[in-house]
């Protein structure tokens, strides 16, 4: 498989003298399988030079698949400048997540309305086919691709391609589910020692991969002031990838304020984190213009990774749109905020201001998902969760625990009792919507 980086910058393109070696274009990565199947991860501004390259070098007509992580600007802004879309005869399959604000073509058409751009989406010459993806394993252009939700304040997808006897993951944009990463009562560096189920699932998704390309926008020093913005630190990414036995790691989605010298230092520090973890993984900061043909490695896809992929059914969820959500929380302000954002995302919301009333409403209304506060007058969230998990009809019901006291003890106990997710307050409306969708998808696969 051939991999080329066309855009490695996060948030906004940064032209100029300083980011010369690492590049200034936003997210865009090309992967071509040995049989000539071409996949493009994201369409940031790097898609413009990629388009020019393909016109000159790719077999005609151009056929390719675009795998969008999500539709934030820095991942779609190159699409209207991607030359192959203007040429009749070319065939493009555009895959991405269905978000809260419409289908993929609706969102892409939005950025090409005449207010923003002179050509509308409908008048592009190429044949474009759209595919809304959800979590699971999909056959795309004859290649097996596993998809898993990322933690980002938008519905965002991570991709794992299995082809040519190797595995490649593209994981942008993603933020730790929980900090610190490791349980304090266990040895760090192992999957079992990861505290939050979401981070453990994310690491398991990378397990035994040959190549991982991962968002690593911030340093650990920068992160606290940018929490909930949806990006990772190199310490988190290297720690996770080392625990997952990844062979080669590319840190990407570089912050616009990080110049070449700064990224050199990040690369050195990240290699230090890998060495301290006893990992032989090769770590580097992704550079625009980098390309390498990865040889097939028979050891790349281990039986572990195979079984992990096979465990993800390919079926679409029964319904990925509107859900009936029960919110059990004695904090009225929070209920108002959550109700507002969830109803805007198309869900129906019912509310209980305590545990006893909540359990009654579960039996009466049979919600699709529960948002559960931990600290309420008895029965508190832990007791409600225990009750739900002991009842056959609600044993697998997705439950997102919300808490203002984001301590390790609460997180551990919640997961031990069977919480699907654990989210600390305060959180933003798009974050809540993305986590709710992801939890519902996980629960459907169980
Ligand atoms: Zn981004
Ligand atoms: Zn983003």
């Amino acid at each position: 498989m051939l991999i080329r980086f066309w855009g490695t910058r996060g948030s906004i393109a940064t032209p100029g003298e300083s980011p010369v070696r690492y590049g200034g274009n936003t997210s865009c990565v090309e992967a071509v399988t040995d049989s000539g199947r071409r996949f493009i991860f994201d369409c940031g501004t790097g898609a413009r030079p990629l388009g020019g390259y393909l016109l000159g070098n790719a077999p005609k007509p151009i056929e390719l698949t675009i795998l969008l992580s999500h539709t934030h600007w820095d991942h779609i802004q190159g699409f209207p400048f991607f030359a192959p879309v203007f040429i009749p005869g070319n065939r493009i399959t555009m895959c991405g997540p269905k978000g809260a604000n419409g289908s993929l073509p609706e969102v892409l058409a939005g950025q090409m309305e005449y207010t923003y751009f002179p050509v509308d989406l409908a008048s592009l010459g190429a044949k474009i086919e759209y595919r809304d993806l959800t979590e699971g394993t999909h056959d795309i252009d004859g290649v097996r691709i596993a998809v898993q939700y990322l933690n980002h304040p938008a519905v965002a997808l991570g991709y794992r391609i299995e082809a040519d006897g190797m595995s490649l993951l593209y994981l942008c944009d993603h933020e730790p589910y929980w900090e610190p990463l490791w349980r304090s009562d266990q040895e760090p560096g192992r999957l079992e020692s990861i505290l939050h189920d979401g981070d453990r699932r994310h690491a398991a998704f990378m397990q035994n991969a040959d190549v991982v390309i991962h968002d690593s926008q911030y340093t650990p020093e920068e992160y606290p002031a940018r929490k909930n913005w949806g990006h990772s630190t190199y310490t988190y990414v290297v720690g996770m990838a080392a625990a997952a036995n990844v062979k080669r790691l590319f840190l990407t989605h570089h912050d616009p304020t990080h110049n070449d010298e700064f990224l050199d230092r990040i690369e050195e520090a990240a290699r230090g984190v890998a060495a301290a973890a006893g990992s032989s993984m090769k770590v580097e900061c992704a550079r625009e213009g980098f390309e390498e043909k990865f040889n097939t490695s028979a050891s790349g896809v281990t039986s572990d990774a195979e079984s992990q992929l096979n465990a993800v059914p390919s079926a679409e969820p029964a319904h990925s749109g509107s859900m009936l959500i029960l919110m059990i929380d004695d904090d009225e302000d929070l209920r108002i905020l959550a109700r507002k954002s969830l109803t805007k995302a198309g869900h129906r919301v019912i509310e209980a201001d305590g545990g006893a009333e909540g359990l009654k409403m579960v039996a009466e209304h049979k919600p699709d998902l529960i948002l559960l506060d931990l600290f309420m007058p008895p029965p508190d969230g832990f007791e409600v969760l225990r009750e739900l998990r002991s009842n056959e009809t609600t044993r697998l019901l997705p439950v997102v625990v919300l808490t203002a006291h984001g301590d390790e003890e609460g997180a551990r106990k919640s997961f031990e009792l069977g919480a699907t997710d654990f989210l600390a307050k305060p959180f933003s409306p798009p974050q809540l919507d993305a986590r709710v969708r992801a939890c519902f998808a996980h629960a459907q696969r169980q």
Side-chain angles (χ1 to χ4, degrees):
M1 192 187 298
L2 179 80
I3 299 173
R4 286 192 194 98
F5 291 119
W6 294 92
T8 59
R9 193 62 54 175
S11 306
I12 192 163
T14 49
E17 277 179 29
S18 173
V20 159
R21 281 183 290 122
Y22 290 95
N25 277 308
T26 58
S27 303
C28 184
V29 178
E30 178 191 17
V32 188
T33 68
D34 294 351
S35 60
R37 304 273 194 279
R38 195 179 302 273
F39 295 92
I40 313 298
F41 296 105
D42 281 333
C43 266
T45 62
R48 190 191 61 80
L50 165 61
Y53 171 84
L54 294 176
L55 291 191
N57 298 281
K60 309 293 176 310
I62 294 172
E63 292 189 18
L64 54 85
T65 301
I66 295 172
L67 300 167
L68 283 186
S69 59
H70 62 310
T71 54
H72 280 163
W73 274 348
D74 50 327
H75 300 256
I76 61 167
Q77 267 186 330
F79 179 72
F81 299 90
F82 183 56
V85 301
F86 292 94
I87 299 168
N90 289 345
R91 296 171 67 91
I92 292 167
T93 306
M94 176 68 105
C95 305
K98 184 171 172 18
N101 301 309
S103 67
L104 208 46
E106 283 165 351
V107 175
L108 290 173
Q111 84 159 345
M112 294 177 75
E113 278 175 15
Y114 291 123
T115 315
Y116 311 108
F117 195 72
V119 184
D120 75 347
L121 185 68
S123 50
L124 296 179
K127 183 171 181 344
I128 304 177
E129 205 178 290
Y130 295 93
R131 238 175 117 169
D132 282 330
L133 295 182
T134 53
E135 201 160 324
T137 304
H138 306 266
D139 182 308
I140 300 173
D141 197 16
V143 174
R144 205 162 64 127
I145 300 183
V147 172
Q148 189 163 289
Y149 286 113
L150 303 173
N151 185 32
H152 197 58
V155 180
L157 300 177
Y159 293 97
R160 178 174 180 131
I161 290 190
E162 302 281 354
D164 308 332
M166 66 172 279
S167 45
L168 161 69
L169 283 98
Y170 178 79
L171 306 169
C172 280
D173 298 352
H174 175 83
E175 166 164 22
Y177 282 87
W178 199 258
E179 287 259 288
L181 178 59
W182 311 106
R183 287 174 68 131
S184 58
D185 62 339
Q186 297 206 8
E187 193 190 325
R190 299 178 313 153
L191 291 192
E192 312 80 71
S193 309
I194 294 174
L195 174 64
H196 196 290
D197 275 8
D199 290 314
R200 196 172 323 103
R201 196 171 47 243
H202 188 69
F205 192 48
M206 291 186 231
Q207 202 160 17
N208 298 318
D210 293 277
V211 181
V212 169
I213 303 164
H214 201 297
D215 171 357
S216 169
Q217 183 152 348
Y218 304 132
T219 63
E221 295 73 32
E222 290 168 330
Y223 180 64
R226 294 160 175 81
K227 213 167 150 49
N228 292 343
W229 290 11
H231 302 289
S232 296
T233 63
Y234 64 82
T235 40
Y236 168 81
V237 179
V238 172
M240 295 273 282
N245 190 33
V246 169
K247 292 177 186 59
R248 190 140 173 205
L249 174 65
F250 290 95
L251 305 172
T252 193
H253 207 273
H254 307 311
D255 192 83
T257 64
H258 294 173
N259 62 20
D260 282 346
E261 290 69 36
F262 198 93
L263 288 169
D264 286 341
R265 288 198 293 277
I266 284 183
E267 189 173 75
E268 202 186 320
R271 286 173 178 169
V273 176
S279 167
S280 58
M281 172 174 67
K282 192 171 174 197
V283 182
E284 56 213 288
C285 283
R287 290 161 204 255
E288 187 177 318
F290 166 95
E291 76 168 64
E292 188 165 318
K293 177 109 166 63
F294 288 80
N295 290 320
T296 52
S297 75
S299 62
V301 185
T302 67
S303 54
D304 260 12
E306 281 286 0
S307 59
Q308 192 258 330
L309 266 189
N310 287 336
V312 183
S314 55
E316 296 293 318
H319 64 96
S320 52
S322 172
M323 280 181 258
L324 178 64
I325 298 175
L326 168 62
M327 196 170 5
I328 308 175
D329 198 320
D330 60 346
D331 176 352
E332 197 187 355
D333 292 341
L334 184 111
R335 292 206 311 269
I336 292 170
L337 180 81
R339 188 203 316 137
K340 213 169 139 190
S341 79
L342 292 169
T343 45
K344 187 166 174 257
H347 306 299
R348 289 168 299 137
V349 179
I350 50 177
E351 296 166 37
D353 64 5
E357 193 197 354
L359 285 169
K360 218 172 101 205
M361 288 181 77
V362 172
E364 248 171 57
H365 298 276
K366 301 191 174 24
D368 299 307
L369 182 141
I370 294 177
L371 296 180
L372 179 63
D373 185 28
L374 277 188
F375 298 100
M376 301 178 286
D380 66 9
F382 294 119
E383 290 167 65
V384 171
L385 193 53
R386 196 175 288 119
E387 175 70 28
L388 290 170
R389 291 316 184 218
S390 65
N391 187 323
E392 194 48 40
T393 56
T394 54
R395 198 171 53 84
L396 297 174
L397 183 64
V399 176
V400 181
V401 169
L402 304 177
T403 179
H405 312 272
D407 59 308
E408 179 178 344
E409 182 60 31
R412 263 162 51 181
K413 201 169 159 192
S414 297
F415 285 123
E416 276 159 20
L417 287 171
T420 320
D421 196 0
F422 187 86
L423 182 57
K425 304 170 189 174
F427 43 80
S428 66
Q431 223 180 354
L432 181 64
D433 175 51
R435 295 282 278 264
V436 157
R437 275 169 204 271
C439 278
F440 188 62
H442 303 323
Q444 285 204 314
R445 284 168 34 208
Q446 281 172 352

